[in-house]
Amino acid sequence: MPSAGAWARGRAAAEEILRQHRAANDGAYPETVAVTLWGLDAIKTRGESVAIVLALVGAAPIREGTGRVVRYDLVPLAELGRPRVDVLASLSGIFRDSFANIVDLLDDLFERASRAEDEPVALNFIKKHSEELEAEGVDRPAARLFSNPPGDYGSMVNEVVGSGEWDDEASLGETWKSRNNFSYGRNEGDGGSAAGTARPEVLDKLLSTTSRIVQEIDSVEYGLTDIQEYYANTGALKKAAENRQAPDPVSGRPAKVALSIIEAFSPGDAGPSGSSLPTVAVRDADAVLRLEYRSKLLNPKWAAAMLAQGSGGAYEISQRMTAAIGWAATTSAVDEFVFQQAAERYALDEEVADKLQRSNPEAFKNVVRRLLEANGRGFWEADAGTIEKLKDLYSDADDLIEQVGAMKP
């Protein structure tokens, strides 16, 4: 990894990520970009996300005669023509366990980049951050590949959101951070890439300098709103980074961290004249979420198809309502109209509510619960009459579930 095709798309994506960031930040380059490296995504795209990491750093894969990648080499700054961007690589457990060789190669690359001679820190943010950490006495300041503890998986953020037992949005970012502060690579302990080491100080530094996060979607069958893992990992990573940003001088609130979404299955158009790279669409997460909610959860045709599937369809609706809470909490990117129209379509419409209750009482109860939670947490401002109706529906759903439970042998 990456394959030739993934390398071309990854470079194009990295260029577009930097172009968009500079356009929004008066021409400034990001010091750190967090890139999610997931196992299935890497398998399907043959390493497109790895290519994005390499391109941001300013490195290229070196292949032996058989085509196997044996090393990632730094591109000279004069050829690169811009600063080396530091990268926080957020590894899924599957990627960590399945691609130990890639983890080792990337770890070696970051170590060399952190010690690159004759490169000023103004043009090498990896070196800049590593030297700052080293001055503070932090071990392994070039560690950049973070995941769960060895043999463990998941951020647990989806479990916390599912239970509803969390205090504020910031706590979800801290849950993610506490579950992902283990560094991996060939320079970690005696066990190499298989042995992770907790390095919370390095992760803190990288999060505090992160101004953009990159997530690939690798399937046409599901998107950001369809499964819990996207908000539980990428959304919570965004919140963890925002928790550590310096306050905005005007608002006094921590600066927002951008979230860029790349659809790996989307064919790239031909690049501009004279360019050998394709054009890869990089979209803001707010726009992607808005489109997905309009095309699925709030789409009458989608809703009708789910209702026709009975219990399974009701479950799908319920899960998307939970995910809406997760996205609202971690990114503030769920518009109020999503909750308003969901309430009108699935709870306040008596016919639809009756179908959901008969098909799957627990799912209907969860739909109403999430609507009430959205209002209670300030994600949706609903009128008093609507909230009273929802409370009544929730109470009725609770009674129905108790009756059904009492009937079981």
Side-chain angles (χ1 to χ4, degrees):
M1 290 184 182
S3 68
W7 177 229
R9 277 185 55 91
R11 282 185 294 158
E15 287 188 6
E16 180 61 13
I17 289 164
L18 294 178
R19 186 197 69 77
Q20 290 184 12
H21 185 89
R22 296 186 69 201
N25 292 275
D26 299 322
Y29 283 95
E31 287 204 6
T32 305
V33 172
V35 180
T36 58
L37 299 180
W38 287 13
L40 293 179
D41 156 39
I43 292 170
K44 291 179 180 179
T45 67
R46 301 183 68 184
E48 193 170 302
S49 54
V50 174
I52 293 172
V53 172
L54 297 178
L56 289 171
V57 169
I62 302 301
R63 304 177 189 275
E64 62 179 10
T66 63
R68 184 173 69 95
V69 174
V70 294
R71 176 181 167 96
Y72 300 135
D73 263 0
L74 293 170
V75 175
L77 283 177
E79 181 181 339
L80 185 61
R82 59 164 175 82
R84 299 193 192 281
V85 176
D86 204 350
V87 173
L88 163 56
S90 175
L91 316 182
S92 73
I94 294 176
F95 187 99
R96 173 199 64 198
D97 296 345
S98 302
F99 300 106
N101 59 323
I102 303 299
V103 173
D104 284 349
L105 290 177
L106 287 171
D107 190 42
D108 175 62
L109 169 68
F110 284 115
E111 284 286 349
R112 285 184 282 113
S114 72
R115 301 190 305 271
E117 297 181 359
D118 302 322
E119 291 193 3
V121 293
L123 294 176
N124 183 336
F125 298 138
I126 304 161
K127 185 177 182 180
K128 175 185 177 182
H129 299 153
S130 295
E131 289 185 353
E132 290 172 349
L133 284 164
E134 190 173 19
E136 297 171 6
V138 176
D139 291 336
R140 276 272 285 145
R144 294 297 184 271
L145 305 158
F146 285 85
S147 187
N148 308 129
D152 210 343
Y153 303 86
S155 70
M156 301 297 291
V157 173
N158 48 326
E159 282 84 353
V160 174
V161 170
S163 71
E165 296 176 357
W166 50 279
D167 296 326
D168 55 28
E169 291 91 333
S171 68
L172 298 178
E174 296 315 291
T175 297
W176 181 92
K177 194 255 181 181
S178 70
R179 292 281 300 166
N180 286 273
N181 61 18
F182 276 72
S183 169
Y184 290 84
R186 66 171 51 167
N187 296 291
E188 287 297 346
D190 298 329
S193 60
T197 306
R199 301 196 183 280
E201 300 90 352
V202 180
L203 182 56
D204 267 330
K205 177 68 171 182
L206 295 173
L207 288 170
S208 71
T209 58
T210 293
S211 53
R212 187 169 293 269
I213 296 165
V214 178
Q215 170 73 60
E216 283 206 319
I217 300 176
D218 58 42
S219 173
V220 296
E221 296 179 356
Y222 57 81
L224 296 180
T225 62
D226 296 325
I227 58 176
Q228 311 296 318
E229 282 72 15
Y230 280 122
Y231 78 76
N233 289 281
T234 309
L237 164 56
K238 173 175 158 62
K239 181 56 66 176
E242 289 176 345
N243 288 350
R244 290 158 177 78
Q245 299 300 303
D248 182 272
V250 178
S251 68
R253 298 176 180 176
K256 289 293 184 182
V257 173
L259 174 53
S260 298
I261 305 299
I262 300 169
E263 295 176 339
F265 53 82
S266 176
D269 298 327
S273 178
S275 173
S276 61
L277 299 179
T279 298
V280 176
V282 178
R283 297 182 173 87
D284 185 78
D286 292 30
V288 174
L289 287 168
R290 195 171 293 119
L291 176 61
E292 285 197 20
Y293 282 123
R294 289 191 181 280
S295 61
K296 294 181 182 179
L297 185 66
L298 306 180
N299 184 340
K301 292 184 178 179
W302 184 90
M306 292 299 104
L307 291 170
Q309 292 181 25
S311 179
Y315 174 80
E316 292 295 329
I317 294 169
S318 170
Q319 287 297 290
R320 282 162 179 78
M321 290 303 303
T322 301
I325 294 293
W327 278 115
T330 57
T331 68
S332 304
V334 181
D335 297 301
E336 288 196 45
F337 76 77
V338 173
F339 295 110
Q340 178 64 38
Q341 293 184 25
E344 294 170 356
R345 186 169 305 282
Y346 298 109
L348 303 179
D349 184 311
E350 293 184 6
E351 182 180 352
V352 172
D354 182 63
K355 286 182 179 179
L356 287 174
Q357 281 187 303
R358 286 188 286 106
S359 299
N360 190 328
E362 288 283 4
F364 177 72
K365 178 183 175 182
N366 187 65
V367 169
V368 179
R369 174 190 177 189
R370 299 309 173 185
L371 291 168
L372 290 170
E373 184 178 6
N375 176 256
R377 294 189 182 275
F379 304 148
W380 169 44
E381 186 176 345
D383 61 77
T386 296
I387 297 303
E388 285 304 312
K389 290 179 182 177
L390 291 174
K391 288 180 178 179
D392 289 342
L393 287 170
Y394 187 82
S395 178
D396 292 344
D398 216 18
D399 291 343
L400 178 60
I401 290 171
E402 288 186 7
Q403 293 171 15
V404 171
M407 294 171 61
K408 292 181 179 179

